[in-house]
Amino acid sequence: MDAKIVATEPFDGQRPGTSGLRKKVKVFQQARYLENFVQAIFDTRADLEGGVLVVGGDGRYYNRHAIQVILRMAAANGVRKVLVGRGGILSTPAASCIIRKHQTQGGIILSASHNPGGPEEDFGIKFNAANGGPAPETMTEAIYTRTGEIDSYRTLETEDLDLDQVGETRLGNMVVEVLDPVADYADLMETLFDFGAIRGLFESGEFRMRFDAMHAVTGPYATEILEGRIGAPAGTVMNGIPLEDFGGGHPDPNLAHAKDLVAQTQGDDGLDFAAASDGDGDRNMILGKRFFVTPSDSLAVLAANAHLAPGYKDGIVGVARSMPTSQAADRVAQDLGIECFETPTGWKFFGNLLDAGRITLCGEESFGTGSDHVREKDGLWAVLFWLNLLAARKESVADIVKEHWQRFGRNYYTRHDYEAVDSDAANGLMDYLRGLLPTLPGTELGGVQVEYADDFAYTDPIDASRAEKQGVRIGLVGGSRLVFRLSGTGTQGATLRVYLELFEPDAAKHGRETQEVMQPLIQMARDLAQIESRTGRAAPDVIT
Ligand code: VG1
Ligand code: CO
């Protein structure tokens, strides 16, 4: 079957952000918009011709259509074989797992992650490389450059394929293998964690949990692993059927958007353990009875206890965290005598460290935790890790975290997001802060001396690639920090993220309410960045 060559013209603004190209569905629905970006991938990744590609997404609106477009274009661009999840479904970590296990040349993942879905909402596309991880910046920049010069794309004129049955079909000369989206991933989890011990928790009759899939992609994964392989009671997984609009909600596992689940952990009768994941299954939120584990603390606790899970029984070689993530993990690394890295926001910056064997665990404050088992953050993995920990230590979530604070000190932490702010105002605010930086060190903020103030830049220790302007950070003597950056995943105006951290070594002061403790820092950040006068916002939209 001959490829059809269709003339096209570049679109502005197809530069991938923190995690791929994310736009409103309406933007993707413009004729040739998706095709241009996909052709730019094929034009820059020469090894895809004659190679194998993984394709799947989080099941949101436009997922099925986009996959059919990509399959036809893959065939027309000489791809030998595509592995696609049944129904077009693959969680982000499962896609990473399949790329690695089947040693493919890469994958295309369709998702806008935690952003809402539906005809009026968001869609996204990203390319993952042969290591299973998000394309590094050199690759995304090459793709972006190509989108600016593209003048045609290749496709076939064929009917849509049936992707709802497992098995092999052909599209032109290309083989399309529809596979069970869960099996390879579930097998991998079984090698890392002690499913028998976790089963024991449920069999004890004294342990109650829920997992909220938020109507997003992890439903089938959690159902198979928790209720199927481990034997948790039916109904443990809630909102387990992926919906194109995620039931109208934000599939974002945090205290603001997973309210129903949080409510079930409250009161004397609250659940012992609750967890949720996001649209594409790479984020996680961990809750105990009346207890919220911050993602930064979660990374630190997992690092300190990793040896209790079979997959990490020999210990971990190093950890990494994104710059705005609290420094709790650093203290664990120091105690273990292992390396600790601070990287820019976005999982793509962990890839080289993982590939080089320099780190085993990594995480971000934005509810992302992961390890060298794949090259993406992994929501369900984190949940299983916690379950394994609970089974091994036979203590509650709250007790485990409180003991951790006693040992290492507590890093109080909060993030305030100002969403859909006017872009010029947000950029003006960041420029203003950057201008202030040289004047800050040595001065006092709220009676505490500023130790350093800079715009975070990172040189990758493996390939020496450089990332600049990754966020303004202001460190105070004693370990408190104020961090400001603009989101690279939003699709409307700009989102200003303000990250605040306060270190408290004194165990007698570990039981305080976070927002209260942080109030002076919150006010300091608002004043310093002139948030209200510059954005017109008296309060943040989301507090996590
Ligand atoms: C956000 C988070 C970042 C995360 C990224 C992708 O990016 O802050 O930590 O890696 O989302 O996560 P930003 O640029 O909006 O702050 V996901 O679950 O959207 O793939
Ligand atoms: Co996500």
Side-chain angles (χ1 to χ4, degrees), residues 18-19 22 113-114 278 280 282-283 345-346 364-366 377 415 485 487-489 497:
T18 312
S19 181
R22 290 194 191 163
S113 188
H114 54 291
D278 72 333
D280 61 331
D282 55 358
R283 297 186 178 206
T345 295
E364 297 190 281
E365 51 65 43
S366 54
K377 56 188 183 276
R415 183 177 107 184
R485 59 178 284 281
S487 158
T489 59
R497 302 201 196 285

Side-chain angles (χ1 to χ4, degrees), residues 270-290:
L271 297 168
D272 301 294
F273 182 66
S277 63
D278 72 333
D280 61 331
D282 55 358
R283 297 186 178 206
N284 72 89
M285 174 170 69
I286 301 294
L287 300 162
K289 187 183 273 191
R290 290 186 298 238

